[in-house]
Amino acid sequence: MSLAGEVCLITGACGFLGERIIKLLLEEEELTEIRLLDRDIKPDLITSLKESQGHTKLTVFEGDIRDPELLRKSCHGATLVFHTASIIDVIGLVEETELHGVNVKGTQLLLEACIQENVRSFIYTSSIEVAGPNPQGDPIINGTEDTRYSCCLKFPYSKTKFQAEQLTLQTNGEFLRSGDKIATCALRPMYIYGEGCKFLVGHMENGMRNGDVLLRTSTKEAVVNPVYVGNVAWAHVLAAKALKDPKKRAAIGGSFYFISDDTPHMSYSDFNHEVMKPLGFGIQGRLSLPLPLLFFISFLLEMAQVLLSPFLKFNPPMNRQLLTMLNTQFTFTYGKAQRDLDYTPRYCWEDAKTWTTDWLASVLPKQREIVRAPKHP
């Protein structure tokens, strides 16, 4: 099934994933138009995309996902939406009202615009964090969409992503103004890595400050299965094709899919080391403190955050939710996506690792300058 003739809107178009989806669409398909919606459009990205746009029209919409009028304009005449825009916050830097406003309210407004403007297909980029882990750190090994798991989401980011996902899936089958029905689905990628991953740069900077030894924040046993950004983008393209297929549309609409690939299962910390080892980085052999003690310290820091909140904003570098996520075995297969979306990883682990390491090598000199720069009072 081809996406030729589609008019596609991508929110978060200049983000880590959004950019890869656009490049893949330009490489693979002959869409009529691709619309880029982002609050901060990168001129360099637009210039590079125009070099490979072919006959596909590129249109830019710059603004906030919470602007209903902007959403109506960007959705007018569109047939397909990839909704990747969201605020990612795993340490509590962003107020919950802001997270809810962008991640939940923004999604709701976008879905309403799609209904009003007759957009037939809507694909939401969810997160593995909507599945857990739960506060008890109960593991999942090679889970599926049917895996039963007791989960109580307490972290604001996880909650808002889950709420937005539910809004998306509940909208499936609603009537458009044209009388047609919208079809929606959600993709739940594992931890996404690859060229442009800011989390990897952050870990690299911390390692530099520690004498080129990466800090261990997860035990070796807490294995997860990261996924390469190119494969996540490919899953989005395949989901769009599947929703366009009349034979598959009804079955896929209203469903969510875990997206992983053939990246080896390992802990977050060991994964960081795997892609940075060729750059000369080592890694701590064990956690800096026993895990129970780290949980206790995180608890004290969270209490301090609550007590200080009337006077100043204090964000602990670690919290119990993040500590649980980093130290829980939590892996999922992509079997359902393979069956329903014809998804198989487009890029192998060896290539993904090489490209990621090469990109990190390209930004290494600049990051060393940042780390060595004197801090001004």
Side-chain angles (χ1 to χ4, degrees):
M1 182 63 64
S2 170
L3 295 179
E6 296 284 317
V7 176
C8 169
L9 170 67
I10 302 178
T11 72
C14 294
F16 177 40
L17 175 61
E19 180 179 331
R20 292 301 290 259
I21 294 175
I22 297 169
K23 291 179 177 178
L24 196 53
L25 287 172
L26 290 176
E27 175 186 333
E28 286 290 314
E29 304 293 331
E30 192 69 40
L31 281 76
T32 296
E33 182 181 2
I34 297 177
R35 299 175 179 178
L36 290 71
L37 173 60
D38 205 297
R39 66 186 305 174
D40 184 21
I41 296 293
K42 302 175 184 176
D44 291 346
L45 173 61
I46 304 302
T47 300
S48 67
L49 292 176
K50 287 183 176 179
E51 295 175 357
S52 58
Q53 72 180 98
H55 297 292
T56 300
K57 180 181 178 182
L58 294 177
T59 307
V60 172
F61 292 90
E62 187 168 17
D64 198 292
I65 192 73
R66 293 166 289 188
D67 181 345
E69 186 60 30
L70 174 68
L71 298 181
R72 285 287 300 271
K73 290 179 180 178
S74 59
C75 287
H76 182 71
T79 56
L80 165 66
V81 167
F82 293 107
H83 181 30
T84 76
S86 72
I87 296 177
I88 301 174
D89 177 36
V90 296
I91 60 174
L93 289 174
V94 183
E95 294 290 341
E96 187 166 358
T97 53
E98 180 76 1
L99 280 168
H100 187 274
V102 172
N103 294 354
V104 183
K105 187 63 177 179
T107 300
Q108 179 185 347
L109 291 172
L110 180 60
L111 286 165
E112 290 173 356
C114 288
I115 296 294
Q116 294 164 349
E117 298 299 333
N118 300 314
V119 178
R120 297 189 70 250
S121 300
F122 186 101
I123 298 164
Y124 175 66
T125 308
S126 188
S127 166
I128 181 58
E129 291 192 43
V130 306
N134 59 25
Q136 295 75 37
D138 295 326
I140 290 182
I141 303 170
N142 293 327
T144 71
E145 290 77 359
D146 297 323
T147 299
R148 293 184 176 274
Y149 188 72
S150 176
C151 184
C152 176
L153 299 174
K154 294 185 176 181
F155 207 57
Y157 170 67
S158 305
K159 286 194 296 185
T160 57
K161 290 296 288 184
F162 180 73
Q163 290 164 358
E165 180 187 278
Q166 291 302 297
L167 282 172
T168 298
L169 300 183
Q170 290 165 6
T171 302
N172 179 68
E174 287 198 14
F175 281 100
L176 306 173
R177 293 180 65 188
S178 64
D180 200 354
K181 291 183 179 180
I182 190 172
T184 69
C185 70
L187 304 186
R188 295 180 177 179
M190 307 299 106
Y191 165 67
I192 307 175
Y193 70 92
E195 309 94 305
C197 178
K198 294 180 180 179
F199 289 110
L200 285 175
V201 173
H203 292 304
M204 186 167 67
E205 286 185 2
N206 290 334
M208 290 177 188
R209 294 187 177 95
N210 194 43
D212 285 356
V213 177
L214 298 173
L215 304 178
R216 179 173 288 281
T217 55
S218 52
T219 63
K220 290 180 177 292
E221 297 76 24
V223 300
V224 293
N225 53 331
V227 58
Y228 179 60
V229 63
N231 287 326
V232 180
W234 180 233
H236 280 71
V237 173
L238 292 176
K241 291 183 176 184
L243 286 178
K244 191 175 181 181
D245 187 338
K247 297 179 180 178
K248 297 181 178 181
R249 184 177 175 86
I252 294 167
S255 299
F256 69 86
Y257 296 88
F258 289 112
I259 304 299
S260 57
D261 59 16
D262 300 326
T263 300
H265 294 197
M266 61 188 93
S267 75
Y268 286 106
S269 292
D270 289 299
F271 174 80
N272 294 336
H273 184 227
E274 187 67 26
V275 295
M276 296 184 204
K277 182 168 52 177
L279 305 180
F281 284 87
I283 188 172
Q284 293 174 334
R286 59 175 65 90
L287 295 173
S288 56
L289 294 171
L291 196 54
L293 182 55
L294 287 172
F295 271 104
F296 180 66
I297 293 173
S298 295
F299 168 73
L300 294 179
L301 290 172
E302 290 172 37
M303 292 302 99
Q305 181 182 31
V306 173
L307 293 173
L308 292 171
S309 60
F311 313 102
L312 58 87
K313 185 173 177 60
F314 167 60
N315 290 103
M318 182 65 70
N319 55 65
R320 287 174 293 170
Q321 170 76 17
L322 180 56
L323 200 57
T324 300
M325 184 184 74
L326 294 173
N327 288 281
T328 299
Q329 187 171 4
F330 216 61
T331 62
F332 290 83
T333 67
Y334 57 82
K336 184 179 179 182
Q338 189 171 38
R339 292 191 301 273
D340 290 2
L341 311 179
D342 294 326
Y343 166 76
T344 54
R346 181 183 175 95
Y347 309 99
C348 68
W349 157 242
E350 290 77 12
D351 286 342
K353 177 184 174 182
T354 298
W355 296 329
T356 302
T357 300
D358 288 348
W359 172 74
L360 287 169
S362 72
V363 301
L364 182 61
K366 181 179 179 181
Q367 301 312 127
R368 287 206 183 278
E369 289 181 9
I370 293 173
V371 169
R372 291 170 179 168
K375 293 184 179 180
H376 300 288

